[in-house]
Amino acid sequence: MTLGGIPHLPFQEFTVSSLEALLNILKKARIKDSEIEVSTSEESQHTACSKPIIHVLVMTAKGEGPGEHKDLAALYQYCPGCGSAVRVL
């Protein structure tokens, strides 16, 4: 495990069989007070295969009250065409 329980180092690239497998890895890491958000961007394409990139954000609570901002703990990009993921932040 790396700092804060996030299971990958920044800029670490790895293969993963599916988006669900990546999400399971992040859920099993039990990153303290985290929420996982997934978004797809048609504008962001993987340079190797031109498939749309899926962004996976690991957000942690910044404050305890309702409406408080969240901090970005980690950002992953996943390519379903190649089955590759990279931790960007």
Side-chain angles (χ1 to χ4, degrees):
M1 291 281 173
T2 60
L3 184 63
I6 300 168
H8 304 95
L9 296 172
F11 308 110
Q12 181 179 357
E13 189 169 354
F14 54 98
T15 12
V16 64
S17 59
S18 65
L19 176 61
E20 291 77 23
L22 174 59
L23 295 175
N24 283 334
I25 291 169
L26 296 174
K27 288 175 187 173
K28 284 181 184 177
R30 295 191 174 141
I31 302 158
K32 186 177 166 119
D33 299 324
S34 69
E35 292 179 15
I36 299 171
E37 298 179 15
V38 177
S39 67
T40 305
S41 173
E42 294 295 325
E43 292 84 35
S44 298
Q45 297 178 343
H46 191 220
T47 55
C49 69
S50 299
K51 299 278 184 192
I53 293 288
I54 297 173
H55 304 280
V56 179
L57 291 79
V58 180
M59 307 292 291
T60 58
K62 187 173 186 179
E64 295 188 22
E68 293 289 332
H69 296 285
K70 297 177 183 175
D71 283 334
L72 180 62
L75 170 63
Y76 287 81
Q77 290 182 332
Y78 173 70
C79 176
C82 296
S84 66
V86 63
R87 179 178 168 199
V88 179
L89 172 70

